[in-house]
Amino acid sequence: MRYEGNIFRPFSEAKSYLLQVTIGCSHNGCTFCGMYKDKKYRVRSLEEIKTDITMAKKYYGDLEKVFLCDGDAIAIDTDILLEILALLYGAFPSLRHVGSYVGPKSTLSKSMSELGALRAAGLTKAYLGVETGDDRLLHEVNKGVGYEEMLQAGQNLVNVGINLSAMVLLGLAGKGERSYEHALATAHIINEMKPQYLAALTVTPVPGTALYRKVKHGEFEILDAFETLEEMKWIFENITIDNLKFVGSHASNYLPVTGTLQKDREKMLAAVEEVLASRDRRYLRSEQMRGL
Ligand code: SF4
């Protein structure tokens, strides 16, 4: 298979064939993100994409799951995306899932009928980097949108029936009372957005990013492990929607917690509270074992 540069995909897409339809991210401006800093954004030509699908067909025969890389495949023109989806479903009779990262601005650039057409053509899951529900913080980290637009983007995806995984970042506000505000506002946007999945990751400064420079210059204090768990606890305490699958197993997190809110709420809270009460680092992933 042919890939350009580093390739990222969500943990739950581990068994998916990765089809690179764009190079990089159309926004590429978030202060904490170093994923595509080495790439200049472009959409790959349909010819290149067709060739990759033919190669995958020869190699795998049939496929059940595909993930569209890189950072924001929904930014591609709807007609082209529909053609890519048709090619995939035509090539692989067992295909039942096509997932993609989606940016909030690119999602909002699509009309509801375009999003509906993409869902009907088989775009089944979207991973939206919500990061926080704190409007000021969204602007500070240069997400490209504020609270209302982020919420609208997520709701539009949910409303057309695309399964939504909202990704949020523990520690994004740094220390102090803004940490609590970030957790509360994050629970609030999730309650309003109503995604099917909530994935929490933990801020890790990546060299080459604006956040890394701020940390280096003493302008941003990274939370310690227990402070990130406090945020996780506040989020659990303030999520009120039901049937929300919480995915906290990402390698950046100090304590892998998963479960379904509200069904597993008490168990999930107890897991976090036990570690917070004991302050025993043996429960935590070591810094060496944490990753991006
Ligand atoms: S966090 Fe997402 S939207 Fe922001 S620069 Fe990274 S890939 Fe692009």
Side-chain angles (χ1 to χ4, degrees):
M1 300 304 118
R2 308 178 302 174
Y3 296 107
E4 198 173 312
N6 292 328
I7 298 292
F8 298 89
R9 51 127 183 100
F11 182 73
S12 55
E13 300 283 345
K15 292 190 175 149
S16 301
Y17 161 61
L18 306 178
L19 175 63
Q20 197 172 22
V21 294
T22 70
I23 308 299
C25 161
S26 68
H27 177 56
N28 210 16
C30 301
T31 59
F32 54 85
C33 176
M35 294 205 295
Y36 306 111
K37 285 278 178 276
D38 58 335
K39 295 180 181 180
K40 189 170 179 318
Y41 176 74
R42 69 179 167 86
V43 179
R44 286 181 83 206
S45 75
L46 197 52
E47 282 317 304
E48 284 178 81
I49 294 168
K50 276 182 187 166
T51 307
D52 275 19
I53 294 173
T54 306
M55 288 167 78
K57 173 82 185 157
K58 269 196 198 137
Y59 190 79
Y60 296 109
D62 198 2
L63 288 169
E64 290 187 8
K65 294 180 77 180
V66 171
F67 183 73
L68 305 178
C69 305
D70 279 336
D72 184 22
I74 207 161
I76 299 177
D77 283 351
T78 304
D79 288 349
I80 308 279
L81 265 180
L82 289 172
E83 197 165 341
I84 294 168
L85 289 165
L87 286 167
L88 285 168
Y89 280 91
F92 306 112
S94 302
L95 189 61
R96 59 181 169 79
H97 166 102
V98 178
S100 167
Y101 286 129
V102 298
K105 273 203 294 201
S106 318
T107 302
L108 289 175
S109 75
K110 306 273 188 234
S111 68
M112 289 304 279
S113 65
E114 285 178 289
L115 288 178
L118 291 169
R119 173 63 192 93
L123 182 66
T124 52
K125 189 164 180 182
Y127 298 81
L128 175 67
V130 173
E131 327 303 358
T132 179
D134 184 320
D135 185 63
R136 186 171 136 211
L137 187 53
L138 279 169
H139 291 292
E140 282 171 4
V141 300
N142 196 30
K143 196 65 207 175
V145 295
Y147 181 96
E148 289 302 332
E149 287 167 296
M150 183 64 83
L151 175 61
Q152 193 64 61
Q155 285 179 335
N156 288 356
L157 292 161
V158 172
N159 288 340
V160 299
I162 295 177
N163 266 320
L164 178 62
S165 176
M167 301 175 295
V168 299
L169 267 177
L170 303 173
L172 191 60
K175 289 184 189 269
E177 65 187 37
R178 291 204 64 193
S179 166
Y180 183 61
E181 289 166 8
H182 160 53
L184 241 58
T186 299
H188 185 67
I189 198 169
I190 297 303
N191 287 334
E192 289 211 84
M193 193 180 282
K194 300 184 175 50
Q196 285 78 13
Y197 301 86
L198 171 62
L201 288 73
T202 300
V203 163
T204 311
V206 179
T209 62
L211 180 73
Y212 185 86
R213 287 190 290 278
K214 275 179 106 175
V215 173
K216 234 178 133 193
H217 296 137
E219 294 159 12
F220 185 91
E221 267 193 287
I222 292 290
L223 296 194
D224 70 26
F226 299 110
E227 287 165 327
T228 70
L229 291 187
E230 293 276 8
E231 281 191 2
M232 201 188 269
K233 180 170 94 82
W234 293 325
I235 290 173
F236 292 166
E237 285 172 343
N238 288 282
I239 296 258
T240 52
I241 53 171
D242 204 6
N243 277 328
L244 176 70
K245 290 185 184 61
F246 180 80
V247 187
S249 49
H250 191 266
S252 62
N253 294 338
Y254 287 98
L255 184 71
V257 180
T258 52
T260 301
L261 292 166
Q262 302 297 323
K263 179 169 74 71
D264 302 323
R265 184 178 187 268
E266 296 315 315
K267 215 163 49 182
M268 292 158 70
L269 273 172
V272 176
E273 280 164 354
E274 190 184 341
V275 179
L276 283 173
S278 70
R279 302 261 145 181
D280 186 342
R281 298 196 76 89
R282 285 175 303 176
Y283 287 116
L284 304 175
R285 261 192 196 123
S286 66
E287 293 293 348
Q288 292 76 20
M289 295 302 288
R290 287 178 64 232
L292 290 175

